[in-house]
């Protein structure tokens, strides 16, 4: 299957400038393309993975990626229906630029004729004066077209600043500069960027450059309409210090059966025959969660590395008695227990029944005693027979943690602090 048809079959092309031309370009000789990421936080999140992995697909097909991290546009803020974005200090944005550039690096290669290039739009935007920007860029943008953008129209009554209104000029000029400096022929981005992207295509045409092409990928949503990339604790980040590799893995493992086939098409590099097999496995044996495990393992290894992926898989198994808890590193164990829910204990350990109640696994001491009597209470995967006794001091994993379990699937952690 050719590249363009593969992207379409995966649902990764929502809008494009001309399907026939784009197919010829993508399936012809190598071209240079770009995709942009604005540094509006210290890390990318899983919602960005559609763009990151689409760039990886294009590079694997022989095309050269320009990965733009917007040191200029990140200081401005793109219009959105929620209202004005907070403007961050330039030095804060600069720090975020460096962190995001590092995060993007593992997804592409930098060697060979199609080696990736990291670019920053502050390099060509900062030297321009206001007069130069208005004269050389602004004159090519009819205001009536700028006002016609849906996201702009939605803000006209409530108000939109000139700063955010002019964002599309900056993004369009990025395309022009990358075309001039790197012979960039293609831009893609999320579907919410279609207006900005087509403004760039039109801007290049007005300046006598081109031909150039563009497409957008869909915004990912859950089947219930809720926002993709959110967990109970908030956004699922790519930075391991902001979302642990264990929590990242669990996000994909817990994907709904109604969503996982779509996610596999977007995020997996498996072939269409394999995708069809996993879709059938989900329908025939949903409890096995084969598709979720395939997705979680591939993405965790890609984002956090093979070694970290092996650790989180081991943690997932060990917490439920299918592996050795002592083999887990302190970082992985703590992250796993934090995800399950952690209770702090100061000083000496209380009885197991007290720990069961304080951890929230049971509602009362009497329920805790009943759970122990029925054989449903575990400490570090060992069944508890005397609930009134505290766990022995040498039971502490890495001298600090306990794993409590009620029944087969309900977990909590205990951390002993001084």
């Amino acid at each position: 299957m050719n590249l363009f048809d593969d992207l379409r079959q995966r649902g990764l092309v929502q809008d494009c400038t001309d399907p026939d031309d784009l197919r010829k370009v993508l399936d012809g000789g190598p071209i240079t393309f770009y995709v942009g990421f604005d540094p509006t936080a210290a890390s990318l999140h899983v919602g960005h993975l559609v763009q990151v992995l689409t760039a990886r697909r294009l590079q694997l097909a022989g095309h050269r990626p320009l990965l733009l991290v917007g040191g200029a546009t990140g200081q401005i803020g793109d219009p959105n229906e929620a209202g004005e974005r907070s403007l961050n200090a330039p030095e804060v944005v600069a720090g975020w630029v460096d962190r995001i550039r590092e995060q993007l690096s593992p997804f592409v290669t930098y060697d060979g004729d199609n080696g990736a290039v990291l670019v920053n739009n502050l390099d060509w935007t900062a030297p321009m004066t206001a007069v130069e920007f208005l004269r050389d860029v602004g004159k090519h943008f009819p205001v009536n077209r700028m006002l016609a953008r849906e996201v702009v129209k939605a803000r006209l009554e409530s108000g939109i600043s000139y700063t955010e209104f002019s964002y599309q000029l900056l993004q369009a000029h990025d395309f022009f500069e990358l075309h001039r400096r790197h012979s960039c022929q293609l831009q893609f981005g999320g579907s919410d960027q279609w207006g900005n992207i087509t403004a760039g295509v039109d801007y290049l045409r007005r300046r006598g450059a081109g031909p150039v092409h563009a497409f957008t990928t869909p915004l990912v949503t859950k089947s219930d309409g809720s926002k993709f990339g959110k967990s109970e604790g908030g956004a699922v980040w790519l930075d391991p210090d902001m979302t642990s590799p264990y929590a990242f893995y669990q996000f994909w493992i817990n994907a709904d059966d109604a969503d996982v086939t779509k996610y596999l098409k977007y995020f997996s590099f498996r072939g269409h025959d394999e995708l069809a097999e996993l879709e059938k496995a989900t329908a025939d044996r949903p409890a096995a969660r084969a598709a979720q495990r395939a997705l979680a393992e591939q993405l965790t290894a890609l984002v956090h590395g093979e070694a970290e992926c092996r650790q989180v898989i081991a943690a997932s198994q060990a917490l439920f008695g299918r592996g050795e808890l002592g083999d887990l590193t302190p970082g992985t164990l703590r992250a796993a227990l934090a995800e399950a829910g952690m209770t702090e204990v100061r000083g000496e350990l209380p009885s197991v029944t007290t720990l069961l109640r304080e951890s929230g696994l049971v509602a009362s001491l009497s329920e805790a005693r009943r759970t122990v009597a029925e054989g449903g209470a575990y400490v570090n995967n060992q069944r508890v027979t005397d609930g009134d006794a505290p766990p022995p001091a040498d039971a502490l994993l890495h001298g600090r943690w306990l794993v409590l379990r009620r029944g087969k699937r309900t977990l909590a952690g205990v951390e002993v602090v001084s």
Side-chain angles (χ1 to χ4, degrees):
M1 184 179 298
N2 61 49
L3 175 60
F4 182 73
D5 289 338
D6 177 62
L7 293 174
R8 295 194 81 169
Q9 189 162 328
R10 290 176 182 272
L12 287 170
V13 179
Q14 178 153 327
D15 300 294
C16 63
T17 44
D18 185 297
D20 292 333
D21 283 350
L22 187 55
R23 178 182 284 104
K24 291 176 183 177
V25 167
L26 288 178
D27 297 320
I31 64 165
T32 298
F33 67 91
Y34 105 86
V35 58
F37 305 89
D38 273 345
T40 56
S43 171
L44 299 175
H45 54 73
V46 294
H48 293 109
L49 279 177
V50 177
Q51 316 308 330
V52 175
L53 298 180
T54 300
R56 182 181 176 92
R57 292 182 199 282
L58 267 61
Q59 186 179 37
L60 289 173
H63 304 299
R64 183 171 70 130
L66 303 175
L67 304 181
L68 184 149
V69 183
T73 44
Q75 297 184 43
I76 298 302
D78 194 12
N80 66 86
E81 295 182 13
E84 289 285 313
R85 292 189 179 182
S86 299
L87 300 183
N88 296 296
E91 60 271 19
V92 172
V93 174
W96 290 348
V97 167
D98 291 339
R99 292 185 61 165
I100 291 172
R101 285 162 69 98
E102 290 178 7
Q103 284 185 342
L104 289 169
S105 294
F107 295 96
V108 293
T109 58
Y110 296 92
D111 301 324
D113 294 337
N114 70 329
V117 180
L118 294 167
V119 293
N120 184 344
N121 55 19
L122 192 63
D123 293 342
W124 53 83
T125 305
M128 295 185 76
T129 66
V131 171
E132 288 172 332
F133 183 75
L134 292 172
R135 182 194 64 197
D136 297 338
V137 181
K139 71 177 182 179
H140 297 286
F141 286 82
V143 172
N144 60 323
R145 291 194 183 183
M146 296 175 69
L147 289 171
R149 285 192 60 206
E150 289 298 324
V151 71
V152 172
K153 287 195 295 184
R155 290 274 302 279
L156 288 179
E157 289 189 11
S158 61
I160 181 172
S161 70
Y162 178 75
T163 301
E164 290 198 0
F165 181 63
S166 60
Y167 181 98
Q168 65 178 281
L169 278 71
L170 293 173
Q171 184 168 331
H173 190 61
D174 291 344
F175 199 178
F176 176 81
E177 286 293 332
L178 293 175
H179 180 75
R180 183 175 69 85
R181 295 168 182 235
H182 298 278
S183 301
C184 180
Q185 294 178 249
L186 169 68
Q187 179 186 179
F188 76 88
S191 59
D192 59 335
Q193 291 294 308
W194 182 238
N196 291 336
I197 291 172
T198 53
V201 172
D202 189 54
Y203 173 60
L204 265 73
R205 180 186 61 79
R206 289 172 181 269
R207 295 199 64 168
V212 292
H213 312 273
F215 72 92
T216 61
T217 59
L219 296 181
V220 187
T221 58
K222 297 181 181 179
S223 57
D224 62 5
S226 61
K227 191 170 184 179
F228 170 79
K230 294 287 186 178
S231 67
E232 289 185 9
V236 180
W237 304 98
L238 303 192
D239 188 316
D241 293 328
M242 297 172 69
T243 296
S244 71
Y246 181 85
F248 182 88
Y249 179 87
Q250 290 299 317
F251 172 78
W252 300 106
I253 280 287
N254 292 323
D256 193 278
D257 290 342
D259 295 317
V260 69
T261 297
K262 177 176 67 176
Y263 295 168
L264 277 166
K265 289 179 180 179
Y266 288 170
F267 301 115
S268 170
F269 287 82
R270 296 170 185 267
H272 292 280
D273 289 342
E274 288 183 272
L275 293 177
E277 290 175 6
L278 287 169
E279 183 175 9
K280 185 176 186 301
T282 298
D284 294 345
R285 301 180 303 280
R289 304 190 76 74
Q292 285 89 340
R293 283 189 289 106
L295 185 61
E297 291 175 16
Q298 182 171 16
L299 289 179
T300 304
L302 188 59
V303 173
H304 296 294
E306 294 283 354
E308 196 67 62
C309 182
R310 288 194 294 271
Q311 270 287 307
V312 299
I313 293 171
S316 297
Q317 295 172 343
L319 290 179
F320 298 99
R322 298 189 300 276
E324 292 297 326
L325 289 166
D327 292 340
L328 304 179
T329 64
T332 299
L333 179 61
R334 191 187 191 290
L337 294 180
E339 190 72 8
M342 188 93 78
T343 298
E344 286 189 357
V345 172
R346 295 184 180 275
E348 294 184 359
L349 284 168
S351 67
V352 172
T353 52
T354 300
L355 289 173
L356 289 170
R357 183 190 63 183
E358 292 183 355
S359 67
L361 292 180
V362 297
S364 64
L365 287 176
S366 60
E367 186 181 358
R369 292 190 180 97
R370 187 165 57 252
T371 300
V372 171
E374 293 171 352
Y378 299 82
V379 174
N380 296 348
N381 292 328
Q382 300 298 313
R383 180 177 281 121
V384 175
T385 56
D386 183 3
D388 293 326
D394 60 5
L396 291 175
L397 299 165
H398 299 292
R400 192 166 185 174
W401 293 286
L402 293 172
V403 178
L404 301 182
R405 177 156 53 90
R406 180 187 180 189
K408 293 182 178 180
R409 303 295 302 173
T410 310
L411 284 175
V414 174
E415 181 176 14
V416 177
V417 296
S418 56

